[in-house]
Amino acid sequence: MSNLSILCISGPNLQLLGVREPSIYGTITLDEIHAALAGAAQALNADVVCRQSNHEGDIVTWIGEALGNHHGILINPGALTHTSIAIYDAIKAVAIPTVEVHLSNPDARESFRRRSRIAAACMARVAGFGDQSYQLALEGLLGALRRNVKNA
Ligand code: DQA
């Protein structure tokens, strides 16, 4: 691993960005978010690998496989944020600095979105900035990794 390498994981229903509740999530597609993230990573001398799955098991597997392959993880687990102890355990298991990302601000929405099962395994959370949340989280994570911030 020469450049810092970041794995970006998006969970259920995020493949529908662009058509999914645009008043909440905007009209940008996940492919466009991934392209913007790749550009931002290049400008910051980093590499980013972006993946999406609707299946919890895929996400758990990818987090496990990140060990030795990526320095940091950005994760928007979609609705699995609120339910998945398996993703929490996977992040704890690999101990790779991880930032929780959301387009919307879950705390300002339905009460069931206020509990994040993964937050306690993450070093930080970026939420509520729409598609920009991904890029802001990337900048924060790379900065923390380079400064050797505690938890990173
Ligand atoms: C989301 C917020 C979650 O509550 C929701 O289930 C999603 C998207 C977001 O990016 O704002 O699928 O993670």
Side-chain angles (χ1 to χ4, degrees):
M1 292 195 279
S2 46
N3 259 0
L4 285 180
S5 178
I6 305 301
L7 175 64
C8 175
I9 298 173
S10 294
N13 298 311
L14 291 164
Q15 85 283 7
L16 295 174
L17 287 179
V19 294
R20 177 188 182 193
E21 299 184 90
S23 60
I24 297 174
Y25 298 114
T27 52
I28 193 166
T29 66
L30 190 60
D31 280 349
E32 289 167 339
I33 289 175
H34 289 170
L37 206 57
Q42 197 178 23
L44 294 164
N45 295 313
D47 297 317
V48 66
V49 173
C50 297
R51 317 192 77 161
Q52 186 275 334
S53 177
N54 294 322
H55 304 282
E56 186 176 23
D58 288 343
I59 294 171
V60 169
T61 298
W62 293 338
I63 293 169
E65 290 172 353
L67 208 53
N69 292 309
H70 299 286
H71 300 91
I73 297 173
L74 302 177
I75 185 163
N76 180 354
L80 293 172
T81 304
H82 316 297
T83 60
S84 182
I85 296 169
I87 293 177
Y88 167 87
D89 279 347
I91 297 168
K92 293 290 277 187
V94 297
I96 295 172
T98 297
V99 178
E100 179 180 345
V101 182
H102 299 284
L103 295 111
S104 67
N105 176 5
D107 287 341
R109 299 178 62 193
E110 301 96 326
S111 59
F112 62 81
R113 296 186 202 279
R114 284 188 203 134
R115 180 184 68 187
S116 168
R117 288 285 195 192
I118 71 154
C122 294
M123 65 172 298
R125 174 190 236 214
V126 179
F129 293 103
D131 56 285
Q132 282 267 86
S133 290
Y134 281 82
Q135 284 184 51
L136 293 169
L138 177 70
E139 282 173 36
L141 178 56
L142 290 173
L145 288 168
R146 289 187 172 130
R147 294 193 318 277
N148 258 324
V149 166
K150 191 172 166 286
N151 293 333

